């Protein structure tokens, strides 16, 4: 097989890139190691920035999102016995976020792609990328026990943090800048209506908690736990009691409880691979960078990467100019580091480190009160949370 752009990984980054390239007449093939059911059920992010929503609409994948997604105008910060609502449109000139699960985004993109192309191969595990710094790289993959190759003009690594492409550049040609955290998120899905209409981010004496949702009938909740926590060690009763104690710090607010249908523990890390290009291999999404989840930037960053790549390949295809491709890594690294900073800020302001001293806690609370008391500080948070406008994916 051969193509113009070989895309490794069929998560949100790879699938969306394929749609955008197809729309611009650039040939591509997506190779995904897992089966369709697995990819569609993998429970992950839930918050789409305005720019992500606009891109999904522009590429024809917005119909169900517009019907079923929940548009949110604000988030609540809960700390020190106080609840402060960050009004996103007021503080950002009209920007909002949409609650629409990553599982649904992926489902919509897969059904479009299987109906209209370009080719998407499941159960195709990429084992190596050869000749990334030559004019004709080759992607080697294994499918149904048979080794195969995809000859390409360019390769885009969209295979996530545990994929193969981020380690293709030799150590001398890449730098990994990263930081770990001394806590993880315990995440649950529960068949119970959300307790609030909007998301609640809580700083409490027992640690961070987040109340989110998947629909008007399904809640998604997270709370900070020590690294290495086994989700099986917690009973449902203990989980609800812990969540209640972290959220029920203001007024007569009460947490709604119900059957827990899924649970997992997510470790967190900040990591950026620089540059995001090696020869004719480009890295996008989690293959290039990951953020801790507080602030919900991961999926949105992946989308913004592939919007830029689609513009760049479109420019090359339309008038032969590689200028946007050449600028890709530098352009995206600026935005990536903005999101890294915001995600680290939200994480370190809202979580309690093990044995955190009272001074550090007072600083966190001072920062949270500052956001609640100053329109400037609130606007800084709101702009980062709602996201910055990416370029039009189908233009210039
Ligand atoms: P991925 O979604 O990781 O997709 C990569 C794809 O490549 C996968 O389908 C994988 O099967 C495939 N692949 C891997 N190796 C190969 C190979 N060798 N050959 C072929 N295919 C391969 N973000 C938030 O904003 N909020 C959250 O709550 C949140 N929760 C998360 C929970 C978890 C457990 C994880 C891992 C991430 C979470 N994120 C969250 C981050 C967000 O989900 C990611 O940023 C987003 O999925 C990035 O999309 P991607 O397409 O770049 O990578
Ligand atoms: C969700 C995840 C996040 O990381 C976040 O900041 C908000 C919501 C979610 O999964 O719903």
């Amino acid at each position: 097989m051969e193509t113009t752009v070989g895309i490794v990984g069929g998560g949100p980054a790879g699938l969306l890139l394929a749609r955008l390239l197809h729309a611009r007449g650039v040939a591509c093939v997506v190779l995904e190691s897992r089966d369709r059911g697995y990819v569609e059920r993998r429970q992950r992010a839930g918050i789409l920035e305005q720019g992500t929503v606009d891109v999904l609409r522009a590429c024809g994948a917005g119909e169900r999102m517009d019907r079923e997604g929940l548009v949110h105008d604000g988030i609540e910060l809960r700390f020190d016995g106080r609840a402060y609502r960050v009004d996103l449109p007021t503080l950002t000139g009209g920007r909002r976020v949409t609650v629409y699960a990553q599982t649904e985004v992926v489902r919509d993109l897969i059904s479009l792609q299987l109906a209209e192309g370009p080719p998407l191969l499941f159960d195709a595990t990429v084992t190596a990328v050869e000749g990334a710094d030559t004019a004709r790289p080759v992607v080697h993959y294994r499918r149904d026990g048979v080794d195969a190759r995809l000859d390409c003009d360019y390769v885009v690594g969209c295979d996530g943090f545990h994929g193969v492409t981020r380690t293709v550049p030799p150590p001398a040609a890449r730098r990994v800048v990263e930081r770990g955290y001394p806590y993880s998120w315990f995440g649950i899905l529960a068949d119970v209506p959300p307790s609030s209409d909007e998301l609640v981010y809580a700083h409490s004496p027992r640690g961070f908690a987040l109340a989110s949702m998947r629909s008007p009938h399904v809640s998604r909740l997270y709370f900070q736990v020590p690294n290495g926590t086994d989700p099986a060690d917690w009973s449902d009763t203990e989980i609800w009691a812990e969540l209640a104690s972290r959220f029920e710090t203001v007024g007569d607010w009460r947490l709604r409880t119900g059957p827990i249908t899924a649970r997992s523990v997510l470790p967190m890390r900040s990591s950026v691979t620089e540059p995001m290009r090696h020869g004719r291999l480009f890295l996008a999404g989690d293959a290039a960078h990951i953020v801790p989840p507080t602030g919900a930037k991961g999926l949105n960053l992946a989308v913004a990467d592939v919007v830029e790549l689609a513009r760049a390949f479109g420019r090359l295809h339309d008038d032969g100019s590689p200028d946007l491709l050449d600028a890709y890594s530098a352009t995206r690294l600026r935005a990536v580091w903005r999101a890294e900073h915001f995600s680290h800020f939200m994480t370190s302001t809202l979580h309690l480190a093990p044995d955190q001293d009272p001074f550090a806690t007072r600083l966190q609370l001072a920062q949270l009160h500052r956001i609640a008391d100053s329109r400037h500080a609130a606007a800084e948070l709101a702009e980062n949370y709602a996201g910055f406008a990416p370029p039009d994916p189908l233009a210039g």
Side-chain angles (χ1 to χ4, degrees):
M1 248 201 323
E2 62 174 10
T3 191
T4 306
V5 181
I7 301 176
V8 183
L15 292 168
L16 181 62
L17 177 62
R19 282 300 305 158
L20 296 173
L21 291 179
H22 189 62
R24 304 197 63 137
V26 179
C28 61
V29 172
V30 180
L31 302 173
E32 163 58 47
S33 58
R34 302 291 192 154
D35 63 41
R36 179 179 181 179
Y38 182 92
V39 174
E40 290 186 341
R41 279 193 291 274
R42 203 165 29 196
Q43 193 55 236
R44 288 186 171 177
I47 305 295
L48 309 183
E49 294 173 5
Q50 182 79 54
T52 299
V53 166
D54 294 344
V55 170
L56 291 171
R57 273 189 200 133
C59 74
E63 196 192 311
R64 196 161 65 93
M65 174 187 70
D66 282 333
R67 230 179 23 248
E68 297 177 14
L70 307 171
V71 177
H72 281 199
D73 281 358
I75 56 169
E76 182 182 316
L77 298 178
R78 198 171 285 190
F79 57 96
D80 215 11
R82 185 171 181 184
Y84 172 69
R85 180 171 183 274
V86 181
D87 191 287
L88 298 171
T90 308
L91 293 162
T92 61
R95 301 178 77 74
R96 304 171 154 79
V97 295
T98 297
V99 179
Y100 189 63
Q102 181 167 331
T103 46
E104 308 312 302
V105 172
V106 163
R107 216 167 272 172
D108 295 344
L109 289 169
I110 288 176
S111 56
L112 266 177
Q113 191 165 343
L114 292 179
E116 299 173 8
L120 162 61
L121 275 60
F122 289 106
D123 303 302
T125 302
V126 171
T127 50
V129 177
E130 188 189 330
D133 50 359
T134 69
R136 196 73 177 151
V138 181
V139 178
H140 295 274
Y141 64 98
R142 196 168 174 81
R143 193 166 190 234
D144 297 331
V146 178
D147 289 325
R149 58 186 278 161
L150 176 63
D151 291 75
C152 319
D153 292 338
Y154 296 92
V155 178
V156 181
C158 296
D159 48 344
F161 191 65
H162 300 289
V164 295
T165 57
R166 58 191 287 270
T167 57
V168 166
R174 74 185 140 95
R175 196 172 38 243
V176 179
V177 186
E178 59 186 351
R179 167 123 353 148
Y181 296 86
Y183 30 72
S184 301
W185 274 15
F186 197 130
I188 63 162
L189 269 181
D191 279 339
V192 60
S195 305
S196 296
D197 292 339
E198 295 177 339
L199 270 62
V200 180
Y201 289 80
H203 177 288
S204 91
R206 295 183 63 83
F208 172 73
L210 166 61
S212 179
M213 63 196 71
R214 286 292 174 266
S215 75
H217 315 288
V218 175
S219 295
R220 173 81 166 148
L221 297 119
Y222 301 95
F223 60 105
Q224 118 175 49
V225 289
N227 286 341
T229 297
D230 181 349
D233 287 348
W234 285 69
S235 71
D236 289 13
T237 311
E238 287 169 328
I239 292 171
W240 287 120
E242 188 61 37
L243 284 165
S245 79
R246 296 192 191 190
F247 286 119
E248 290 179 6
T249 54
V250 286
D252 55 3
W253 192 91
R254 285 291 166 265
L255 181 69
R256 289 190 187 136
T257 64
I260 296 175
T261 56
R263 54 169 70 198
S264 57
V265 168
L266 324 170
M268 49 178 95
R269 177 187 293 273
S270 305
S271 177
V272 181
T273 298
E274 299 173 338
M276 289 167 60
R277 171 188 193 167
H278 177 66
R280 286 177 173 242
L281 168 69
F282 294 83
L283 300 177
D286 279 17
H289 41 70
I290 52 172
V291 290
T294 334
K297 290 293 115 178
L299 171 61
N300 295 293
L301 262 191
V303 166
D305 283 353
V306 299
V307 165
E308 187 58 29
L309 268 180
R311 264 170 30 97
F313 282 120
R315 174 78 60 90
L316 184 71
H317 178 261
D318 294 345
D319 60 22
S321 166
D323 58 346
L324 291 180
L325 268 187
D326 288 343
Y328 168 74
S329 178
T331 305
R332 288 308 304 153
L333 281 172
R334 267 189 72 163
V336 165
W337 276 109
R338 171 88 306 277
E340 290 287 349
H341 180 276
F342 177 64
S343 304
H344 179 266
F345 164 77
M346 290 287 280
T347 302
S348 55
T349 304
L350 289 165
H351 292 70
L352 300 186
D355 304 321
Q356 179 164 305
D357 65 26
F359 186 81
T361 307
R362 297 296 189 282
L363 291 184
Q364 290 177 324
L365 294 175
Q367 181 60 40
L368 290 165
H369 281 294
R370 166 83 186 147
I371 291 165
D373 294 338
S374 155
R375 189 184 165 96
H376 297 291
E380 168 66 7
L381 188 149
E383 271 194 10
N384 279 282
Y385 192 86
F388 307 98
D392 181 344
L394 302 179

